[in-house]
Amino acid sequence: SQQGEEDPQALSIQEGENATMNCSYKTSINNLQWYRQNSGRGLVHLILIRSNEREKHSGRLRVTLDTSKKSSSLLITASRAADTASYFCATSRAGGSYIPTFGRGTSLIVHP
Amino acid sequence: SQTIHQWPATLVQPVGSPLSLECTVEGTSNPNLYWYRQAAGRGLQLLFYSVGIGQISSEVPQNLSASRPQDRQFILSSKKLLLSDSGFYLCAWSTGTGVGYTFGSGTRLTVV
C-alpha cells in the first residue's frame, strides 16, 4: 500500500519563486527521505529527516516534519529552471521493514 | 567513490520474448540491491531486493525474477514478457540501514 503521498501532483512556478511540496503518510515512521528525478532518469537522494527531527536544511532545500500530523514538506527557495523535476518522498515505517515506500511524486516545472 | 551501472538504457521487446536487465555496483561491498518499476505518472513499485549473494526477496508476484550471482551484480529477468511489463525499471543500492538510496539511470522497457 502507498505510504507516502505527495501533493500537489503538479506545480508550475516562475524562476525565483519558492516551491513547496507536501507529503502525507499513514503510519509511524523511522525516517522520511526526499528524492528528485529528472525526466527519464534515476532518482537522486536529496535529504533525510529522522522521526525525532523537526527541520533540516541543505542549501536551498528546507524539509520539515510534523509527526503529529504525519506530514512533511519540502521547500525549495529561489527556484531555478534547473529545479524542474519530479520530487518524491519515501518513508520507512517504524517497527517495520527498513525499505522505504515511495509516493507518486510532485511534478515541478520552473519557468525561466 | 561508489557508482551504479544499469543497462541497457532503452529496450523494445516483443511479447513472449525473454528479458535480462543487468545492474552492477562499484566501490562498495555487500550492498543491499533493489529493482523498482515505475509506471508513467506513478510512484516506484519495489519488485525485488537482495541483502546478499543468492538472497532474493520478492515483493510482487509476477512473471519477473531476479538473481544476484555476485556481490555487486543484480539481474532482472523474464522468460516471457507481457505487455504489462512495459515500464521504467530502476536498480538501486543502499547500505544496510536503507537510507540514502543510490539509483541507476534506469531502463525504459517497451513490450510490443
Side-chain angles (χ1 to χ4, degrees), chain A residues 2 31 33 35 37 40-45 48 50 88 92 97-100 102-104, chain B residues 32 34 36 38 42-44 46 49 51 88 90 96-101 103-105 108:
Chain A
Q2 211 76 29
N31 61 68
Q33 305 176 65
Y35 288 80
Q37 182 182 34
R41 306 288 294 176
L43 280 72
V44 175
H45 183 257
L48 175 146
R50 301 189 187 281
F88 295 84
S92 296
S97 168
Y98 69 89
I99 300 175
F102 288 81
R104 299 184 181 188
Chain B
N32 290 349
Y34 312 85
Y36 285 88
Q38 185 178 29
R42 301 287 301 256
L44 275 69
L46 178 64
Y49 68 95
V51 298
F88 192 51
L90 289 159
T97 57
V99 298
Y101 278 35
F103 283 83
S105 54
R108 174 74 59 192

